[in-house]
Amino acid sequence: MAGSDAAAPSLDVRGLHKAYGDLDVLKGIDIAVKHSEMVFVLGPSGSGKSTMLRCCNRLEEPDSGAIRVGGDPVTGAGVNLNAIRQRIGMVFQAFNLYPHLTALANVTLALRKVRGMSRRDAEARGMEALAQVGLAEKAASHPAELSGGQQQRVAIARALALEPEVMLFDEPTSALDPELVGDVLEVMRDMKKAGMTMLVVSHEMKFARDAADRVIFMDKGVIVEQGPPEDVFGAPRHDRTRAFLSRVSGQ
Ligand code: ADP
Ligand code: MG
């Protein structure tokens, strides 16, 4: 299911506003992610990063602004949210796997229930997705038998199985023991090599430096600055960015 407009950004967020009551969380966010681009979003806790990601597939309803995937509207009346959400994969900090289902059954659930694929076709696609994250041999394991890093890789496979055009990651390694972080980042690096378009909220600065095409620094609901990682990390232009980077690099 390719986007209808090959020249359009894979993900296009324009003028995104979101408030919770009196709290203005997003004050006009513009982000365009090109095909195969990996864009990192950094910012202090509470700056609106998760809200921004959740608005992209309308897990949160934007107050105003326009969002498009592959040129097609995500916002506005009459959008088929079910169809749109299959085009935008999402990976959260908490893996949210079903404990009573095997890894393969977790990965094939949406293929069968949402896509209506036969068990045989869903399992073939599910095995491909598990192989992509290096876990084909764990297909029959239940989440409790897997490490946190392996569970997160199953969650990534679950999203990949739907063959999304864009993947959103919300702090995918924050819940992991440090020694398990590397495997998840390696999978993300492989996905980028394979051409996936990715918008990633994460504090993995070293990975951002190595792998991101662009880094966005967000604070208090606005984009403060953005650029190639070597610029944002090496020569941040704003005090707020400098203060944030010196805080996190001290950790
Ligand atoms: P970040 O991911 O950058 O830490 P969030 O997007 O989670 O930031 O939150 C931004 C702000 O919005 C925070 O002040 C948070 O408390 C508030 N917020 C987030 N979700 C809700 C909600 N459902 N209702 C009310 N306030 C919320
Ligand atoms: Mg968050």
Side-chain angles (χ1 to χ4, degrees), residues 20 23 25 44-51 60:
Y20 295 110
L23 183 66
V25 175
S45 181
S47 55
K49 305 179 301 295
S50 295
T51 303
E60 296 292 345

Side-chain angles (χ1 to χ4, degrees), residues 199-234:
L199 183 59
V200 183
V201 170
S202 164
H203 297 303
E204 295 293 339
M205 301 296 169
K206 188 167 172 296
F207 181 68
R209 258 182 199 272
D210 289 354
D213 296 300
R214 184 150 52 97
V215 173
I216 292 175
F217 175 67
M218 230 174 111
D219 191 19
K220 302 192 175 92
V222 299
I223 290 176
V224 174
E225 70 177 287
Q226 61 177 306
E230 56 273 24
D231 294 0
V232 174
F233 292 123

Side-chain angles (χ1 to χ4, degrees), residues 6 50 56 59 71 137 168-169 198 206 213 233:
S50 295
C56 289
L59 289 174
E137 79 284 5
L168 312 176
F169 293 84
M198 300 159 86
K206 188 167 172 296
D213 296 300
F233 292 123

Side-chain angles (χ1 to χ4, degrees), residues 13 32 39 59 71 77 92 120 216 232:
V13 175
V39 176
L59 289 174
F92 302 92
R120 192 194 149 110
I216 292 175
V232 174

Side-chain angles (χ1 to χ4, degrees), residues 32-178:
V33 187
K34 288 181 290 205
H35 183 68
S36 294
E37 196 180 20
M38 184 194 268
V39 176
F40 248 73
V41 180
L42 311 173
S45 181
S47 55
K49 305 179 301 295
S50 295
T51 303
M52 182 275 292
L53 287 185
R54 291 166 61 81
C55 283
C56 289
N57 58 7
R58 285 179 60 188
L59 289 174
E60 296 292 345
E61 199 53 40
D63 294 337
S64 62
I67 300 173
R68 288 175 177 270
V69 62
D72 297 328
V74 172
T75 44
V79 169
N80 180 345
L81 273 188
N82 221 350
I84 284 293
R85 284 181 184 153
Q86 292 183 55
R87 296 171 62 181
I88 307 174
M90 185 144 185
V91 174
F92 302 92
Q93 180 176 335
F95 330 124
N96 303 318
L97 299 177
Y98 288 104
H100 60 291
L101 297 180
T102 63
L104 182 60
N106 269 286
V107 172
T108 55
L109 193 65
L111 294 173
R112 301 194 60 202
K113 302 285 179 207
V114 181
R115 279 279 170 85
M117 284 171 82
S118 68
R119 174 188 289 268
R120 192 194 149 110
D121 289 350
E123 289 188 346
R125 179 78 268 273
M127 285 306 298
E128 275 176 44
L130 283 173
Q132 257 179 289
V133 302
L135 286 179
E137 79 284 5
K138 297 288 185 188
S141 300
H142 285 79
E145 302 169 296
L146 301 173
S147 72
Q150 290 171 332
Q151 290 182 55
Q152 186 61 300
R153 284 150 67 196
V154 172
I156 292 172
R158 175 178 56 187
L160 280 176
L162 289 161
E163 299 173 280
E165 291 159 51
V166 180
M167 290 268 295
L168 312 176
F169 293 84
D170 195 356
E171 304 203 25
T173 59
S174 297
L176 300 177
D177 292 334

